Amino acid sequence: MTENTQHQPASPPELPTQYAPAEVEGPLYERWVERGYFEADEKSEKPPYTIVIPPPNVTGSLHLGHAFEHTLIDALTRRKRMQGYETLWQPGMDHAGIATQNVVERELAKDGLSRHDLGREAFVERVWQWKAESGGQISGQMRRLGDGVAWSRERFTMDEGLSKAVQTIFKRLYDDELIYRAERIINWCPRCLTAISDIEVEYQDDDGELVSIRYGEGDASIVVATTRAETMLGDTAVAVHPEDERYAHLVGTEIELPLTGRRIPVVADTHVDPAFGTGAVKVTPAHDPNDFEIGRRHDLPSLTVLDERGVITAHGPFEGLDRFEARSAIVAALRAEGRIVAEKRPYTHSVGHCSRCKTTIEPRLSMQWWVKVGPLAKAAGDAVRDGKVAIHPKEMESRYFGWVDNLHDWCISRQLWWGHRIPVWYGPNGEVVCVGPDDEAPTGEGWTQDTDVLDTWFSSGLWPFSTLGWPEKTPSVEKFYPNSVLVTGYDILFFWVARMMMFGLYAMDGTPPFHTIALHGMVRDQFGKKMSKSFGNAVNPLDWMDKYGSDAVRFTLARGANPGVDVPIGEDWVQGSRNFANKIWNATRFALMNGATVEGDLPPAEELSATDRWILSRLNTVVAEVDAYYDDYQFAKLSDTLFHFAWDEVFDWYVELSKTTFAAGGPAADASRRVLGEVLDVTLRLLHPIVPFVTEALWTALTGRESVVVAEWPKDSGFRDAAAEREIETVQQVVTEVRRFRSDQGLQPGQKVPARLDLDGTALAAHEAAMRSLLRLQPAEEGFTATASLPVAGATVALDLSGAIDVEAERKRLTKDLAAAEKEKAQTTAKLGNEAFLAKAPDQVKDKIRKRLETAEADIARITAQLESLPKA
């Protein structure tokens, strides 16, 4: 990496009159990559700063959520790079098992083929081919956004190194008896034909039916209610609470299960809520997780009556029917037998759906592989409780503990072909062998490998260390593990974060995968509604980048990023950020045209004007504030601070106040040129992590140096000048008040009027020329008559408005406004004086009335003063 030592040229380059992001961004990014600015060197003696990218799916494309998260990570890593850290932002992609397999299967279906027509090996080869041709388009989009990732280190969860890591940790967990195979109830997707974990199930309220069915006859009958009548074919008991006297005489007896001819026992179990419904529940151990546990406690058989596609397998007239067809047919048959006691439809209840394909999930008894999460989850919880890992914002800790403290064992096997195949072989005589990456797989007749693959989250849980070369003790592992911070959405706190914590602590000898977990919210539309294609409010960030530039999108997202809080965003806000980029461009262009420089030391404070000392004092305060906000992950506050400092203080005040100094020339102008160069240099460096492109173009033009990417991060010099700040605040107060008065009088912004400024005895005298320029005030020449006099901040500004305004028309307008304000005051005063109103009205209503009264009184005072200042007739 080239040292940043090139000096400023004799004459700075002339910037184009307008900023054109499309012409600037692409070439700048390629230059950064070519120069290796984003690469990380494990041999460096600089302190490490590591962040991994939450690996996007290989099937994915950049959406606003990605753009938001990437902006925050990029800002953190760019700042740390400028602070002298050896910074690694680790890129890569996830193989996305179910999602990718679905994509390729849909492609095959267009040719009338299925994966079974190809066979496993040929199908997996087809998926790799698809990845090479179509996968990973998000990489190009990340470049558009400006992501400063170490591209030479890009990883994929199915590449050779990461596959070795997966096999290694599976073997270790298996040998430690933390991975086991068992028949349990799992979430089954009849469309994807695979098990999915609890966190991959999306629940939504669906309209169904609640049917009450009478089992048995006469006094030996029990009524149960169900929303899934089709599963009654697999009932093996009815359960009641042990203390429910209504059914005490039936416990231990058998009753007939309708439609089947089977007799099933009545059992007593404390899981049953006697106050809910009839106090009796049907027990279907093979198709309900709670029923499965009841079945285990009472040694009940488990009858599977639905196959992997959700088709009835029980013998009888319903065999071969889809589960939803069977539901209606079974209810009709029960009705015909007079066993339907009650029906409620529609009955709205929460139903689980596959997060990938939205198919209704079917609880199903199945032989699967599991991780025993108890000890792993305890370690993950303790790491936060003991302070090894900080969660930011802290209030999110309770959500984390609520999850890891109550984790069920994790089903890690998936009935797919695309993914990491489970490294277990079965022998002809019941042998089971788990094979590590350095082991030879058993060969010979009758030996077969498990056909399932691992849950995608199994491999992505290893991401913070597998990407660095683990299980080998590589220099990268030594240098860059653990990660400094994980930046991710609170929505995958459970999916991804908990798994990385469990695996990191287990694999890396108790060292957690990161020091800090910084959680952000979700991007929503400007009305706070979730963005979705189905809602019609989804936005492709590339469209906004094309229209307004990547910096504008980034700044808008960062400015809305309060920790752990959702981020509303609208196109008009992006437009405003584009205007900010243009403002930065124009101000820097003005500075260059007027000789702003970064060469040489700043003049001593005693040689600087109050204006120069004020802006330098404010600059150092802002540096300190921005640093504090970065360290607290307060992106919205730091962005807002920079926006208002740059636009309001530097561009709207300092630059404008300096124009008269530049026009006058001399040593004062030379000093201000150096101060202006310093202020822009530091401001552009502060802004760079959020808006990298425009700041790179401007900073290199201003300084003549190599790149702001490798420039030094600004430091607070400690310089403060409270007196200069008070002095300029007074100037601002005078200018603001006179501008407001001019506006109230209907004067055009550029309209000049004669004025006399009485500044004796104040510090404002040194700023008279600047104030006259800002206020468009001409000197008071012979014949000057003060028709309006404004006392402001110890000074007096007298103006001659004769001929500048229509006095009579203005008096009529103001008189009308005064009458309206007085009427408002009378009405609000009357309400607040009404005891009955005060006794009944809510506090917020009374507060609103009080504010209306305050506004009316302020309007009366303002309008009265304006009337008095008008020229007399």
Side-chain angles (χ1 to χ4, degrees):
M1 190 179 296
T2 309
E3 290 296 321
N4 190 27
T5 55
Q6 183 180 336
H7 292 292
Q8 180 180 359
S11 57
E14 185 175 337
L15 291 170
T17 55
Q18 290 185 323
Y19 177 50
E23 298 174 11
V24 171
E25 293 175 351
L28 278 184
Y29 189 84
E30 291 310 312
R31 190 184 312 158
W32 293 335
V33 173
E34 288 168 7
R35 292 179 177 178
Y37 293 153
F38 305 141
E39 297 302 324
D41 182 5
E42 59 263 15
K43 297 177 183 177
S44 167
E45 295 184 1
K46 296 178 182 178
Y49 186 81
T50 316
I51 295 182
V52 295
I53 190 175
N57 286 354
V58 68
T59 59
S61 60
L62 194 72
H63 56 64
L64 266 181
H66 286 124
F68 172 54
E69 185 168 81
H70 289 201
T71 294
L72 305 187
I73 299 174
D74 197 39
L76 290 173
T77 52
R78 284 178 182 271
R79 172 176 175 255
K80 285 296 182 180
R81 188 178 294 111
M82 295 171 75
Q83 286 182 316
Y85 287 78
E86 191 61 33
T87 302
L88 169 60
W89 182 9
Q90 174 67 54
M93 285 183 291
D94 191 284
H95 66 278
I98 297 176
T100 306
Q101 181 157 318
N102 283 346
V103 168
V104 178
E105 285 194 87
R106 283 196 295 270
E107 292 295 313
L108 289 175
K110 294 177 182 177
D111 298 326
L113 298 173
S114 74
R115 60 180 163 127
H116 300 285
D117 294 320
L118 272 67
R120 184 167 192 143
E121 288 188 14
F123 176 77
V124 170
E125 182 60 35
R126 179 68 67 91
V127 180
W128 279 107
Q129 181 183 336
W130 174 87
K131 176 191 178 291
E133 295 172 355
S134 308
Q137 62 174 311
I138 202 167
S139 296
Q141 296 165 341
M142 287 166 59
R143 293 170 182 266
R144 283 288 312 276
L145 189 64
D147 286 3
V149 300
W151 287 113
S152 70
R153 292 172 173 263
E154 188 174 13
R155 303 303 297 270
F156 180 54
T157 51
M158 287 283 287
D159 68 26
E160 184 178 353
L162 270 65
S163 295
K164 182 178 181 180
V166 167
Q167 198 172 352
T168 298
I169 201 162
F170 187 100
K171 171 71 170 170
R172 290 188 186 179
L173 288 164
Y174 181 87
D175 289 345
D176 287 343
E177 298 183 350
L178 292 173
I179 281 182
Y180 63 95
R181 192 169 184 243
E183 193 174 42
R184 300 276 181 85
I185 291 287
I186 46 90
N187 303 299
W188 182 265
C189 176
R191 157 62 184 80
C192 298
L193 298 180
T194 182
I196 63 174
S197 64
D198 291 344
I199 51 178
E200 292 171 299
V201 179
E202 293 179 348
Y203 287 90
Q204 66 184 48
D205 288 340
D206 287 357
D207 285 340
E209 60 180 347
L210 182 66
V211 181
S212 297
I213 309 168
R214 178 172 52 84
Y215 287 15
E217 302 292 343
D219 291 338
S221 67
I222 293 182
V223 175
V224 299
T226 181
T227 58
R228 302 172 67 224
E230 68 279 9
T231 63
M232 68 159 290
L233 300 176
D235 287 358
T236 57
V238 171
V240 298
H241 194 276
E243 297 176 5
D244 194 334
E245 295 181 0
R246 294 172 295 176
Y247 304 116
H249 66 291
L250 293 176
V251 174
T253 68
E254 290 187 342
I255 59 175
E256 184 174 336
L257 179 65
L259 305 182
T260 67
R262 287 192 290 114
R263 294 187 68 78
I264 59 176
V266 178
V267 299
D269 195 282
T270 54
H271 170 76
V272 180
D273 181 0
F276 182 77
T278 65
V281 297
K282 59 191 286 297
V283 182
T284 321
H287 294 283
D288 183 274
N290 294 320
D291 293 2
F292 177 77
E293 296 301 328
I294 294 174
R296 290 213 299 183
R297 286 194 288 272
H298 297 277
D299 198 24
L300 300 174
S302 296
L303 301 182
T304 299
V305 296
L306 289 164
D307 71 7
E308 61 182 10
R309 297 183 184 274
V311 173
I312 297 291
T313 60
H315 295 296
F318 311 108
E319 186 175 4
L321 292 180
D322 171 80
R323 53 185 168 157
F324 300 118
E325 295 172 335
R327 182 176 299 172
S328 299
I330 288 170
V331 170
L334 290 167
R335 191 183 299 114
E337 290 191 3
R339 292 194 173 274
I340 299 296
V341 176
E343 296 180 72
K344 183 178 180 181
R345 66 168 67 88
Y347 177 73
T348 302
H349 60 131
S350 182
V351 177
H353 296 261
C354 174
S355 62
R356 301 297 194 284
C357 69
K358 313 308 176 187
T359 300
T360 300
I361 288 301
E362 192 62 49
R364 187 167 186 261
L365 186 63
S366 180
M367 182 67 75
Q368 301 286 344
W369 285 94
W370 305 80
V371 172
K372 185 186 295 183
V373 299
L376 302 174
K378 182 181 184 303
D382 290 346
V384 175
R385 288 188 174 93
D386 297 344
K388 289 182 179 178
V389 178
I391 293 180
H392 188 88
K394 190 172 178 61
E395 54 265 28
M396 285 285 182
E397 279 187 2
S398 60
R399 295 183 64 166
Y400 176 78
F401 292 136
W403 180 255
V404 297
D405 292 348
N406 297 285
L407 270 179
H408 300 297
D409 283 2
W410 172 20
C411 177
I412 56 172
S413 46
R414 298 292 180 266
Q415 288 64 54
L416 304 171
W417 288 354
W418 172 244
H420 296 101
R421 194 165 175 180
I422 288 176
V424 172
W425 271 254
Y426 305 107
N429 299 310
E431 302 96 333
V432 179
V433 176
C434 181
V435 176
D438 299 322
D439 300 333
E440 288 290 334
T443 57
E445 188 176 348
W447 282 93
T448 58
Q449 186 178 358
D450 196 299
T451 57
D452 289 350
V453 301
L454 288 163
D455 177 10
T456 299
W457 295 102
F458 191 94
S459 52
S460 58
L462 312 179
W463 193 249
F465 49 93
S466 64
T467 52
L468 299 174
W470 186 91
E472 308 302 327
K473 289 187 177 180
T474 65
S476 288
V477 171
E478 296 293 324
K479 178 74 174 179
F480 295 114
Y481 186 90
N483 288 193
S484 306
V485 62
L486 174 75
V487 179
T488 191
Y490 62 70
D491 60 322
I492 59 172
L493 181 61
F494 318 129
F495 283 88
W496 191 42
V497 179
R499 281 154 171 69
M500 286 191 290
M501 286 285 283
M502 291 191 297
F503 282 165
L505 290 160
Y506 173 78
M508 305 301 285
D509 300 320
T511 302
F514 19 73
H515 298 302
T516 302
I517 302 168
L519 298 171
H520 58 72
M522 304 296 99
V523 178
R524 297 182 178 271
D525 71 13
Q526 58 189 316
F527 305 108
K529 190 174 182 180
K530 180 180 178 181
M531 284 192 172
S532 166
K533 290 180 180 178
S534 59
F535 294 155
N537 62 350
V539 173
N540 182 345
L542 294 177
D543 293 339
W544 281 354
M545 289 184 212
D546 290 341
K547 197 170 182 180
Y548 304 110
S550 297
D551 284 333
V553 174
R554 289 172 60 116
F555 192 74
T556 305
L557 291 165
R559 204 173 176 193
N562 290 297
V565 178
D566 288 346
V567 183
I569 185 171
E571 185 170 0
D572 54 336
W573 303 343
V574 185
Q575 210 167 0
S577 296
R578 187 270 314 273
N579 295 343
F580 179 50
N582 289 342
K583 186 81 169 180
I584 302 170
W585 185 271
N586 292 335
T588 307
R589 187 169 177 271
F590 165 84
L592 289 171
M593 291 171 62
N594 284 273
T597 180
V598 297
E599 288 298 291
D601 295 332
L602 283 169
E606 58 271 17
E607 295 179 14
L608 296 175
S609 68
T611 305
D612 290 337
R613 285 183 278 114
W614 159 71
I615 198 63
L616 290 174
S617 180
R618 288 291 304 130
L619 178 68
N620 280 287
T621 298
V622 167
V623 170
E625 289 176 352
V626 168
D627 273 334
Y629 286 141
Y630 261 117
D631 292 341
D632 199 33
Y633 305 100
Q634 297 279 359
F635 295 97
K637 289 182 179 178
L638 73 88
S639 299
D640 214 46
T641 296
L642 287 170
F643 174 86
H644 286 295
F645 175 70
W647 192 307
D648 300 344
E649 299 186 74
V650 178
F651 306 150
D652 280 357
W653 283 108
Y654 181 70
V655 168
E656 293 301 319
L657 288 170
S658 299
K659 284 181 178 178
T660 52
T661 306
F662 292 149
D670 290 339
S672 289
R673 289 187 182 97
R674 179 64 188 91
V675 170
L676 179 55
E678 180 76 10
V679 170
L680 284 174
D681 168 21
V682 173
T683 302
L684 290 170
R685 282 186 279 153
L686 290 173
L687 281 166
H688 172 72
I690 305 291
V691 285
F693 294 109
V694 68
T695 51
E696 171 78 340
L698 294 175
W699 190 83
T700 52
L702 174 71
T703 66
R705 294 170 186 157
E706 181 187 326
S707 173
V708 70
V709 176
V710 290
E712 185 178 347
W713 182 252
K715 294 184 178 68
D716 175 10
S717 71
F719 176 77
R720 301 289 191 278
D721 193 324
E725 290 193 35
R726 286 193 299 272
E727 184 172 326
I728 300 305
E729 284 170 8
T730 305
V731 172
Q732 293 171 329
Q733 185 181 354
V734 173
V735 171
T736 300
E737 287 297 317
V738 176
R739 278 177 172 169
R740 183 181 295 119
F741 176 79
R742 286 176 56 105
S743 177
D744 289 341
Q745 301 303 321
L747 295 175
Q748 296 299 313
Q751 188 174 352
K752 294 184 177 181
V753 295
R756 183 173 58 240
L757 276 61
D758 182 4
L759 307 176
D760 291 344
T762 72
L764 296 171
H767 305 282
E768 179 171 355
M771 289 192 294
R772 283 187 176 276
S773 175
L774 290 169
L775 292 168
R776 303 294 191 269
L777 301 180
Q778 294 176 322
E781 298 177 347
E782 188 176 347
F784 172 83
T785 302
T787 60
S789 184
L790 298 178
V792 185
T796 301
V797 180
L799 301 97
D800 181 0
L801 300 179
S802 58
I805 60 171
D806 184 334
V807 176
E808 283 308 309
E810 186 63 16
R811 182 173 282 112
K812 285 180 181 179
R813 183 184 71 81
L814 290 172
T815 301
K816 183 179 178 182
D817 291 348
L818 181 61
E822 288 174 337
K823 182 179 179 182
E824 173 74 354
K825 178 183 177 181
Q827 289 176 342
T828 52
T829 301
K831 277 196 173 184
L832 293 173
N834 185 329
E835 293 297 331
F837 169 78
L838 293 175
K840 295 179 181 179
D843 288 343
Q844 61 265 33
V845 172
K846 289 183 283 189
D847 289 342
K848 189 175 181 180
I849 298 297
R850 291 189 187 101
K851 287 179 181 177
R852 283 174 53 192
L853 175 59
E854 291 173 6
T855 301
E857 289 175 336
D859 287 344
I860 290 170
R862 175 179 56 81
I863 297 168
T864 300
Q866 290 176 233
L867 280 167
E868 291 174 353
S869 69
L870 288 175
K872 301 296 185 285

